[in-house]
Amino acid sequence: MDPAEILSICQVKYAYFRLLDMKRFAELGELLTEDATTAYQSGELHHDGRDAVVAFLQESLGDPGIVTMHNGHHPEIELTGSDSATGRWYLEDRVIVPAHDFELHGTALYDDRYVKVGGRWKISHTGYERIYEEHLRYSSGEVRSIRAAGQTTTF
Amino acid sequence: MDPAEILSICQVKYAYFRLLDMKRFAELGELLTEDATTAYQSGELHHDGRDAVVAFLQESLGDPGIVTMHNGHHPEIELTGSDSATGRWYLEDRVIVPAHDFELHGTALYDDRYVKVGGRWKISHTGYERIYEEHLRYSSGEVRSIRAAGQTTTF
Amino acid sequence: MDPAEILSICQVKYAYFRLLDMKRFAELGELLTEDATTAYQSGELHHDGRDAVVAFLQESLGDPGIVTMHNGHHPEIELTGSDSATGRWYLEDRVIVPAHDFELHGTALYDDRYVKVGGRWKISHTGYERIYEEHLRYSSGEVRSIRAAGQTTTF
């Protein structure tokens, strides 16, 4: 356990979430290794390389009419070498699209990998498995569906 | 202030919340001392010993139709000896039961105690006092009641 | 990177949020320097000096009928000297006023400054810029408006 390394890794992830919700995707890319991979949304959305990740984020969330909240809690970081580490995180996220009267709200568990490159920690892999995911009619607050434990309930 | 000890204690609590929301209660029990006690829900729910805690969680949250989110924020950990510590946390939790069209949502302050046993930190006591607790009609998002500061407002 | 200093600064901010939501404003004041300044709500609300901050919080949130949640995530703390530091945080907050059937819910990014005074870290400046802010009809969960990226959508 090296607290300085662990807090440094956490700060990379915190910057990732901040830049994501501020739609500063190019700067977010700097936090990833060039060959970083992703497995978002229980692996349904996967990307190979920083450029592919940044392009995906720009395309799916770049519209200023899409409002997002990505909060990463509960860092369980483990150093696996002097320049490598794994991390578990507990995500709560919201994606709000007022123009479509739509909101996604949910939680997930991240499984990340980090490497130290030129003295700086970077994300070499990031992905998450959903715990639950709700779809809502945004303006009324009505839940249209919730998916959890492999089961979808619709209302 | 020993950062390595503090981060180790945090990781025990993070694993607790992760295993709780994944309904892996037996593994959660391994994070508790054998004689661990609880005072959940402002002390209304208290348990004596790891087995009683695990049995309570299994019984109250084991149903796969119950979806939970327990996020612990703001760790104020204080080492009170080389193998003992106290911790305050700020909880936000949701308990969703789609089949009953019910949701509980609220916040609370945890007061925990930790001890180091055989080189590993464990939870020897955990309990929380509510700040507020809402009950909702889940599918519509309507609030049926909110309790805070000893007062309940119903709608 | 000095982990003990960083965790100490975090604990000051955690106590700030805890005392804020418990309405213990005088104790909260002890976490600020005497000449602390604020720039809350994207700078619309600013105060000069601990006494002005405490008076403002007491006046705006002192009513026991106002229920609040202030959670600070993602600490990006940077030591800028042996007794000074800056901090970014990601806030999620709710302000619920059941008697007015009103809820504010939103997120923001904090930009704080800290100084060490007599061996204790204190907040010398705190302020935040909103990412989004929703106003809701509390009992029904209906969103009346959302403001994000300089644009307000009303329903």
Side-chain angles (χ1 to χ4, degrees):
Chain A
M1 157 79 71
D2 181 328
E5 298 290 25
I6 287 178
L7 293 181
S8 294
I9 291 169
C10 286
Q11 294 208 359
V12 172
K13 188 77 171 173
Y14 296 149
Y16 169 98
F17 286 127
R18 175 171 50 80
L19 295 169
L20 180 60
D21 289 339
M22 298 303 284
K23 303 186 189 298
R24 291 161 57 181
F25 305 116
E27 288 163 89
L28 182 156
E30 297 299 311
L31 306 173
L32 310 176
T33 59
E34 267 192 63
D35 62 351
T37 53
T38 73
Y40 295 133
Q41 194 68 356
S42 304
E44 283 168 34
L45 301 169
H46 47 90
H47 310 90
D48 242 310
R50 172 196 291 164
D51 293 348
V53 180
V54 170
F56 163 74
L57 294 174
Q58 178 64 46
E59 192 176 294
S60 53
L61 301 177
D63 180 339
I66 301 174
V67 182
T68 61
M69 178 189 92
H70 292 86
N71 284 158
H73 308 306
H74 304 182
E76 297 181 73
I77 309 293
E78 197 178 336
L79 297 169
T80 54
S82 61
D83 57 4
S84 62
T86 60
R88 281 208 191 93
W89 294 84
Y90 195 124
L91 172 75
E92 181 184 5
D93 64 336
R94 304 181 76 190
V95 178
I96 301 170
V97 193
H100 292 179
D101 203 6
F102 173 80
E103 178 184 344
L104 178 157
H105 182 215
T107 60
L109 294 174
Y110 269 98
D111 260 309
D112 285 0
R113 293 193 297 273
Y114 311 98
V115 297
K116 210 173 185 175
V117 184
R120 298 183 76 85
W121 286 101
K122 302 220 170 195
I123 299 167
S124 61
H125 176 78
T126 183
Y128 59 77
E129 300 279 327
R130 281 278 173 208
I131 303 177
Y132 75 83
E133 177 175 322
E134 299 169 326
H135 292 193
L136 297 100
R137 200 174 306 277
Y138 176 63
S139 63
S140 69
E142 289 168 281
V143 179
R144 302 187 308 173
S145 67
I146 179 170
R147 181 163 182 83
Q151 197 137 17
T152 302
T153 307
T154 54
F155 296 96
Chain B
M1 157 80 70
D2 181 329
E5 299 290 25
I6 287 177
L7 293 180
S8 294
I9 290 169
C10 286
Q11 294 208 359
V12 171
K13 188 75 171 174
Y14 296 150
Y16 170 98
F17 285 126
R18 174 171 50 82
L19 295 169
L20 180 59
D21 290 338
M22 299 303 284
K23 303 186 188 299
R24 291 161 58 182
F25 305 116
E27 288 163 89
L28 182 156
E30 297 299 311
L31 305 173
L32 310 176
T33 60
E34 268 193 62
D35 61 352
T37 54
T38 72
Y40 294 133
Q41 193 68 356
S42 304
E44 283 169 34
L45 302 169
H46 47 90
H47 310 90
D48 243 308
R50 171 196 292 164
D51 294 348
V53 179
V54 170
F56 164 74
L57 294 175
Q58 178 64 47
E59 193 175 293
S60 52
L61 301 177
D63 180 339
I66 301 175
V67 182
T68 60
M69 178 190 91
H70 293 86
N71 284 158
H73 308 306
H74 304 182
E76 297 180 73
I77 309 294
E78 197 177 337
L79 298 170
T80 53
S82 62
D83 57 3
S84 62
T86 59
R88 282 209 189 92
W89 295 84
Y90 195 123
L91 172 75
E92 182 184 4
D93 64 335
R94 302 182 76 190
V95 178
I96 300 169
V97 192
H100 292 178
D101 203 5
F102 173 80
E103 177 185 344
L104 178 156
H105 181 215
T107 59
L109 293 173
Y110 269 97
D111 260 308
D112 285 0
R113 293 193 297 272
Y114 311 98
V115 297
K116 209 170 184 177
V117 183
R120 298 183 75 84
W121 286 100
K122 303 221 170 194
I123 299 166
S124 61
H125 177 77
T126 184
Y128 59 77
E129 300 279 327
R130 280 278 173 209
I131 303 178
Y132 74 82
E133 178 175 321
E134 300 169 326
H135 292 193
L136 297 100
R137 199 174 308 276
Y138 176 63
S139 63
S140 69
E142 290 168 281
V143 179
R144 302 188 306 174
S145 67
I146 179 170
R147 182 164 182 81
Q151 197 137 16
T152 301
T153 307
T154 55
F155 295 96
Chain C
M1 157 80 73
D2 181 329
E5 299 290 24
I6 287 177
L7 293 180
S8 294
I9 291 169
C10 286
Q11 294 207 359
V12 172
K13 188 77 171 173
Y14 296 150
Y16 170 98
F17 286 127
R18 174 172 51 80
L19 295 170
L20 181 59
D21 289 338
M22 298 305 283
K23 303 184 189 300
R24 292 160 57 180
F25 304 115
E27 288 163 88
L28 181 156
E30 297 298 312
L31 305 173
L32 311 176
T33 59
E34 267 192 63
D35 61 352
T37 53
T38 73
Y40 295 132
Q41 194 68 357
S42 304
E44 284 168 34
L45 302 168
H46 47 90
H47 309 90
D48 242 308
R50 173 196 290 162
D51 293 348
V53 179
V54 170
F56 164 73
L57 294 175
Q58 178 65 46
E59 192 175 295
S60 53
L61 300 177
D63 180 339
I66 301 175
V67 182
T68 60
M69 179 189 90
H70 292 86
N71 284 158
H73 308 307
H74 304 183
E76 297 181 73
I77 310 292
E78 196 178 337
L79 298 170
T80 52
S82 61
D83 57 4
S84 63
T86 59
R88 281 209 191 91
W89 294 84
Y90 196 125
L91 171 75
E92 181 184 4
D93 63 335
R94 303 182 77 190
V95 177
I96 301 169
V97 192
H100 292 179
D101 203 6
F102 174 79
E103 178 185 345
L104 178 157
H105 182 215
T107 59
L109 294 174
Y110 269 98
D111 261 308
D112 285 0
R113 293 193 297 272
Y114 311 98
V115 296
K116 210 171 183 176
V117 184
R120 299 183 76 85
W121 286 100
K122 303 222 171 193
I123 299 167
S124 60
H125 176 77
T126 183
Y128 60 78
E129 300 279 328
R130 280 278 173 208
I131 302 178
Y132 74 83
E133 176 175 322
E134 299 169 326
H135 292 193
L136 297 100
R137 199 174 307 277
Y138 177 62
S139 63
S140 68
E142 290 168 281
V143 178
R144 301 188 307 173
S145 67
I146 178 170
R147 181 165 183 81
Q151 197 137 18
T152 302
T153 307
T154 54
F155 296 97

